[in-house]
Amino acid sequence: MPQVKSLHESTLESIRSKEDILNDFRIACLSRHASLMGRKEVFMGKAKFGIFGDGKELAQIAMAKAFRKGDFRSGYYRDQTFMMALGELTVQQYFAQLYAHTDVEAEPASAGRLMNGHFATRSLNEDGTWKDLANQYNSAADISPTAGQMPKLVGLAYASKLYRNNKGLKELTQFSVNGNEVAWGTIGNASTSEGMFFEAINAAGVLQVPMVISIWDDGYGISVPQEYHTTKGSISEILSGLQRTETEKGYEILRVKGWDYEGLVNAFAYAAKVAREEHVPVMVHVDEMTQPQGHSTSGSHERYKSAERLQWEKDWDCIAKFREYIISNGIATEDQLDKIDAEAKAEAKTQREAAWAEFSSEIKNELQEAKQLITEIAAKSSRKVTLQGLVDDLQKTINPIRKDVITTVRKALVQLRTEPMALRKPLLDWYQKQNDKNYDRYSSHLYSETDFSALQVKEVRPELDEKSPLVDGREVLQAFFDKTLEKDPRFFAFGEDVGKIGDVNQAFAGLQAKYGELRVTDTGIRETTIIGQGIGTALRGLRPIAEIQYLDYLIYALPTLSDDLACLHYRTKGGQKAPLIVRTRGHRLEGVWHSGSQMGMILSTLRGMHVCVPRDMVQAAGMYKTLLESDEPAVVIECLNGYRLKERLPHNIGEYTVPLGKPEILREGTDLTVVTYGSMCRVVMEAAEELEQVGISIEVIDVQTLLPFDIHGVIGASIRKTNRVLFTDEDVPGGASAYMLQQVMDHQDAFRFLDSEPLTLPAQAHRPAYSSDGDYFSKPSTDDVFEKVYEMMHEVNPKKYPSIY
Ligand SMILES: Cc1ncc(C[n+]2csc(CCOP(=O)(O)OP(=O)(O)O)c2C)c(N)n1
Ligand SMILES: [Mg+2]
């Protein structure tokens, strides 16, 4: 096993001044007391759940020493000490998160949206513009799924590679200084069993990026000991084949004990140097860590750890060991350390109390206001007794939360429903005001609320005339990407087969040769980290377009898209953004894994992203332009069967935009509205011709984007005219066709204009069978659309449209 290399003496000396060491001890104690008190707060009912960083303090202090401004962390819920050591987390903020304080000033990581131990720094100003990331410490926003921090870690590190080697980015000093920034990952030992971990580790080794991944190894994953998690019981041992040699690139792998202060400081300083200077990934396996309070507040570790193990954890507690180290080296006496510890405890207590006071006073004020209003109204109401009872119950609640107040008010409003409006109005007004505030607290920022919103992008129409050349669909995209690569140095594309051959359908053909390998890039087959590479680089100011070769393989990347990218803006309440465009292709082509149209899956998991379903490449290019003008993440699903179809190339390719959320009427009609998107547009248009021949006139609407969905009510307006509607697509029954129906019924007041039952025509429930016959019998065909519409019209007028079968 490779060992920690020794450092240049002068570096060591500067790190290890006496003051420095005692300050480290103070931070360790402060963090530990925060953990001990945090657990008690949960048991006292002041917070719902707690997970703490006790036992991991020393390594994090050492890591913080090597962390520089501009660097990024992507870690997990144990990292409180690291954040405190950087000065990016006060104990008060720590407790504000534990209590779920929704004020972004009090809890800057997530404004109370995430449970405790989920860290993040704020990358954005209120207006959505970037802060000076190169001059601040940065932490990507944590997520709970184990190893979920790994994919974007690859991208955070990869951004440094681009900033160092792509000369066109030199001016973006707000994000990078010569690509000197290191991306620091942390992960628990048990979580290294996840596929995401292995995929990310391999990807970073291939890419040779400045990533330092630290494994906090406490021998357990909740109750399950090491032997269930890791072959040979040691992650660094089984990954030792990654170690670089004189002749081969790879990793630098270090192993160090979680209680060994000097070893840790040396290891992290060395790791930073190698990663920062040489752009070589480093793995730091920190073992012999402990969990003094067990995994979380959900249980106690006495249930599954032996008495010997528990004793060992006491004896090898990193703070106890640090104490011994300080005393045996004559740096301070026992008494001096006791004093530091006592002061840290007092400090933690003061900050905890301040956090509680701020958190609870806001709710107390709301409670007082509500109580007063209801009491005043009760005095004049026939429901006086019941209302007073509600107020009394509210008053008796121990540690009242916002829900207690609001539910009381709502119940009071029910009681008051027969009273004159003048009497209940003050309470109603108050409730509505609170509703607005609570929307902001709990439901805002799913999408951008700034001028960079995709919905704010100005529409520029494509310029098309008879002189517009007729080209293959893929050439429309190629022209678009060429223009964009030329204009915007931040823009780059990558994915499987995207580089040398310019993607499997050649929309980037010749563009790598023109713009270089850093702009148009091949990757390994690793969908999850392709998305992670996109998220991480987008978090650092770049404009990636990440390609997933086929829509069916988006499923591999779905956890990262859903858990990380889609909810990033929401879970930071606008503190971070990753404007990643995911490019893929789907709908009908060939067989079970190259004809997918799993739009329902996307719609229910990727809220927070835009979902574009262009019917052809001219529309796709316009959507890409819109997205690049905005700062929001999106997935664009091109039509897999559209690359060789002829389209007219607009004169202003690269300039025109397609507005999101605005359906297009492809054909006007009077009898029935058919709503669809993507490859189905052609099918429905063909059916429309055939229907016309039997005297049925359909209006065909292409929704263009599923998220957002028809924000101007185009479909509702059409239904007002035709009074009938059919939604058709290639997803399974109950998938996106049902979603479209729900959107129109719920938001467009369409029901009362309908003279026929609104219907859907989806594909079969199974995946499409292979070959053209498989397609015909699996996906809606022109015949299917014709018959469905005809049946609907038959029901309206059986005489005019006699039954076919
Ligand atoms: C994908 C996923 N599966 C399961 C969980 C539940 N879970 C949370 S923490 C944890 C154990 C993690 O252990 P380890 O990685 O060793 O970190 P430690 O808590 O020991 O520091 C588990 C199973 C989760 N959060 N995410
Ligand atoms: Mg563990």
Side-chain angles (χ1 to χ4, degrees):
M1 172 52 47
Q3 286 304 310
V4 176
K5 321 258 154 100
S6 72
L7 284 171
H8 197 269
E9 272 307 305
S10 65
T11 331
L12 275 176
E13 270 161 28
S14 68
I15 293 168
R16 289 194 281 137
S17 75
K18 189 175 154 183
E19 289 71 35
D20 237 19
I21 294 173
L22 292 183
N23 192 43
D24 289 347
F25 183 76
R26 185 188 65 80
I27 293 167
C29 292
L30 188 68
S31 176
R32 176 65 61 90
H33 285 297
S35 297
L36 300 175
M37 289 173 190
R39 189 173 171 88
K40 290 199 183 111
E41 293 298 274
V42 175
F43 292 144
M44 279 166 58
K46 286 160 81 181
K48 292 210 77 175
F49 172 80
I51 193 153
F52 306 105
D54 46 317
K56 319 277 188 299
E57 291 92 347
L58 221 49
Q60 293 179 26
I61 285 170
M63 183 168 120
K65 284 182 184 301
F67 199 89
R68 296 280 170 270
K69 291 202 166 146
D71 286 2
F72 259 89
R73 161 192 172 276
S74 178
Y76 81 117
Y77 48 79
R78 299 283 181 214
D79 290 344
Q80 66 190 55
T81 318
F82 170 77
M83 297 299 287
M84 288 175 189
L86 279 186
E88 288 300 323
L89 178 73
T90 64
V91 173
Q92 184 168 338
Q93 288 167 340
Y94 182 74
F95 278 96
Q97 190 177 50
L98 187 74
Y99 302 137
H101 196 163
T102 52
D103 184 340
V104 77
E105 300 291 327
E107 204 282 87
S110 76
R113 291 179 177 191
L114 301 185
M115 58 169 58
N116 90 310
H118 288 66
F119 308 106
T121 49
R122 299 192 78 76
S123 302
L124 303 178
N125 299 306
E126 269 206 16
D127 62 0
T129 53
W130 291 102
K131 292 187 176 185
D132 189 357
L133 302 192
N135 271 309
Q136 66 175 40
Y137 297 121
N138 301 289
S139 173
D142 290 356
I143 61 176
S144 293
T146 49
Q149 68 272 39
M150 294 300 297
K152 76 177 154 218
L153 179 63
V154 176
L156 290 167
Y158 185 69
S160 289
K161 181 167 171 156
L162 292 177
Y163 279 119
R164 184 171 289 181
N165 299 311
N166 178 354
K167 303 284 170 267
L169 301 174
K170 283 281 173 275
E171 293 192 351
L172 297 174
T173 51
Q174 193 179 2
F175 300 103
S176 176
V177 178
N178 191 36
N180 290 340
E181 302 76 23
V182 173
W184 301 80
T186 67
I187 188 167
N189 56 297
S191 304
T192 63
S193 308
E194 296 278 13
M196 283 190 196
F197 175 79
F198 284 93
E199 186 179 316
I201 290 293
N202 179 58
V206 168
L207 293 170
Q208 288 292 291
V209 287
M211 171 179 118
V212 177
I213 173 69
S214 299
I215 296 127
W216 303 152
D217 188 347
D218 55 19
Y220 283 83
I222 310 187
S223 65
V224 182
Q226 197 78 316
E227 58 264 33
Y228 287 85
H229 298 295
T230 308
T231 316
K232 300 184 178 184
S234 167
I235 191 69
S236 56
E237 190 164 334
I238 57 169
L239 293 180
S240 58
L242 296 169
Q243 173 66 44
R244 67 171 170 166
T245 66
E246 300 264 295
T247 52
E248 281 175 320
K249 290 182 174 167
Y251 270 75
E252 200 66 68
I253 302 178
L254 313 174
R255 194 194 290 171
V256 58
K257 312 279 184 215
W259 45 263
D260 173 6
Y261 178 70
E262 273 194 21
L264 288 163
V265 173
N266 289 351
F268 283 106
Y270 176 71
K273 191 170 153 58
V274 170
R276 208 180 296 286
E277 291 174 10
E278 300 178 54
H279 274 193
V280 165
V282 183
M283 185 180 306
V284 186
H285 179 189
V286 184
D287 65 2
E288 300 194 14
M289 283 182 146
T290 67
Q291 287 181 346
Q293 303 189 104
H295 177 77
S296 71
T297 51
S298 296
S300 70
H301 55 162
E302 286 79 10
R303 288 176 303 161
Y304 49 81
K305 284 181 188 163
S306 66
E308 296 76 56
R309 171 75 196 187
L310 289 167
Q311 189 55 49
W312 180 88
E313 292 204 11
K314 276 208 178 81
D315 297 341
W316 295 87
D317 182 301
C318 64
I319 298 184
K321 283 277 157 200
F322 192 21
R323 221 173 220 278
E324 286 172 20
Y325 168 85
I326 292 172
I327 294 167
S328 66
N329 280 285
I331 298 162
T333 64
E334 185 108 39
D335 287 350
Q336 284 169 318
L337 295 183
D338 285 346
K339 186 162 174 271
I340 293 173
D341 185 36
E343 281 166 4
K345 187 173 179 182
E347 173 69 22
K349 184 164 175 275
T350 308
Q351 292 204 39
R352 182 200 76 203
E353 285 168 356
W356 179 255
E358 273 195 23
F359 166 74
S360 57
S361 70
E362 219 174 72
I363 294 175
K364 260 187 219 137
N365 287 343
E366 287 169 29
L367 188 145
Q368 283 311 328
E369 285 174 14
K371 221 178 70 181
Q372 197 177 337
L373 276 171
I374 300 172
T375 309
E376 278 167 20
I377 294 171
K380 299 177 209 151
S381 165
S382 59
R383 303 276 178 164
K384 185 172 175 181
V385 178
T386 317
L387 289 169
Q388 202 49 57
L390 286 171
V391 170
D392 293 345
D393 286 348
L394 180 60
Q395 190 60 42
K396 278 187 234 147
T397 316
I398 301 164
N399 294 332
I401 57 171
R402 189 160 276 130
K403 175 187 160 200
D404 298 315
V405 180
I406 296 296
T407 191
T408 303
V409 169
R410 293 171 81 173
K411 286 182 172 34
L413 287 169
V414 172
Q415 292 300 322
L416 288 165
R417 67 194 184 282
T418 53
E419 300 279 13
M421 184 47 98
L423 183 62
R424 52 198 167 111
K425 192 161 186 315
L427 189 61
L428 209 54
D429 287 348
W430 185 88
Y431 172 58
Q432 270 151 8
K433 211 171 75 204
Q434 293 305 313
N435 264 352
D436 292 344
K437 285 190 186 168
N438 287 328
Y439 179 86
D440 175 65
R441 286 179 181 126
Y442 301 103
S443 299
S444 69
H445 292 86
L446 182 57
Y447 291 91
S448 169
E449 297 181 3
T450 72
D451 292 347
F452 300 106
S453 158
L455 302 183
Q456 303 291 334
V457 175
K458 239 183 73 211
E459 180 171 4
V460 178
R461 307 275 316 155
E463 289 166 15
L464 283 164
D465 53 38
E466 17 355 299
K467 283 205 218 100
S468 308
L470 210 53
V471 299
D472 283 353
R474 65 136 195 123
E475 292 174 282
V476 175
L477 291 176
Q478 188 188 27
F480 173 79
F481 291 136
D482 190 0
K483 277 256 158 85
T484 310
L485 283 161
E486 190 186 337
K487 261 193 308 208
D488 188 348
R490 300 169 310 158
F491 177 75
F492 66 104
F494 61 100
E496 297 154 17
D497 301 289
V498 168
K500 203 173 178 92
I501 64 166
D503 96 38
V504 287
N505 294 96
Q506 307 217 308
F508 281 95
L511 298 182
Q512 186 186 68
K514 189 166 172 187
Y515 296 98
E517 278 188 41
L518 292 172
R519 307 290 307 283
V520 183
T521 311
D522 281 319
T523 68
I525 306 177
R526 46 176 181 79
E527 285 74 13
T528 299
T529 48
I530 286 174
I531 296 303
Q533 211 170 324
I535 298 172
T537 47
L539 279 168
R540 293 189 57 194
L542 296 170
R543 293 310 308 253
I545 183 162
E547 180 170 316
I548 298 296
Q549 202 162 72
Y550 297 98
L551 176 56
D552 297 85
Y553 307 127
L554 192 81
I555 297 177
Y556 270 40
L558 201 62
T560 299
L561 286 167
S562 181
D563 293 330
D564 199 351
L565 181 60
C567 64
L568 174 73
H569 196 256
Y570 171 78
R571 74 178 188 272
T572 57
K573 205 182 180 198
Q576 292 187 10
K577 62 180 175 184
L580 167 64
I581 300 173
V582 180
R583 174 181 185 231
T584 188
R585 49 189 73 91
H587 315 314
R588 59 189 61 208
L589 195 72
E590 288 301 349
V592 169
W593 289 282
H594 299 85
S595 305
S597 194
Q598 301 91 341
M599 305 311 305
M601 166 189 87
I602 290 173
L603 291 170
S604 59
T605 51
L606 301 188
R607 301 292 165 117
M609 292 179 72
H610 294 305
V611 177
C612 303
V613 280
R615 65 178 176 275
D616 59 27
M617 304 310 161
V618 168
Q619 295 307 104
M623 291 174 190
Y624 284 126
K625 178 67 180 169
T626 302
L627 294 169
L628 286 164
E629 296 273 297
S630 85
D631 69 0
E632 299 191 273
V635 52
V636 180
I637 295 126
E638 296 166 10
C639 294
L640 194 37
N641 63 2
Y643 297 106
R644 304 272 158 201
L645 299 176
K646 295 290 180 204
E647 294 186 42
R648 289 215 178 271
L649 178 68
H651 299 303
N652 58 345
I653 184 82
E655 301 299 332
Y656 70 89
T657 58
V658 168
L660 306 191
K662 188 174 167 195
E664 193 172 322
I665 298 175
L666 301 184
R667 180 185 172 113
E668 297 204 355
T670 51
D671 292 325
L672 191 147
T673 302
V674 180
V675 181
T676 193
Y677 58 87
S679 301
M680 277 297 289
C681 289
R682 283 185 40 248
V683 175
V684 174
M685 288 299 274
E686 277 168 31
E689 292 288 323
E690 294 178 14
L691 284 160
E692 191 174 86
Q693 282 160 32
V694 297
I696 297 171
S697 157
I698 61 170
E699 180 139 308
V700 182
I701 299 183
D702 173 10
V703 301
Q704 304 216 80
T705 64
L706 288 165
L707 289 174
F709 187 85
D710 188 9
I711 48 183
H712 306 292
V714 173
I715 300 166
S718 174
I719 293 172
R720 242 156 267 179
K721 184 172 77 174
T722 62
N723 311 114
R724 276 172 261 284
V725 66
L726 172 70
F727 297 90
T728 181
D729 75 352
E730 301 185 29
D731 199 358
V732 294
S737 58
Y739 160 82
M740 294 194 287
L741 172 62
Q742 173 267 332
Q743 287 288 307
V744 174
M745 291 306 127
D746 283 5
H747 303 299
Q748 299 197 11
D749 189 29
F751 186 73
R752 63 201 179 96
F753 294 100
L754 285 172
D755 290 340
S756 295
E757 184 188 1
L759 293 179
T760 63
L761 174 64
Q764 296 289 338
H766 55 76
R767 290 179 178 216
Y770 175 55
S771 199
S772 301
D773 280 346
D775 174 78
Y776 181 77
F777 291 105
S778 305
K779 299 253 188 180
S781 65
T782 309
D783 296 334
D784 294 327
V785 176
F786 179 96
E787 285 176 10
K788 191 79 175 180
V789 172
Y790 189 89
E791 263 172 46
M792 289 172 80
M793 296 309 294
H794 162 73
E795 212 177 275
V796 178
N797 189 343
K799 262 213 179 115
K800 191 167 173 197
Y801 306 109
S803 179
I804 302 173
Y805 298 109

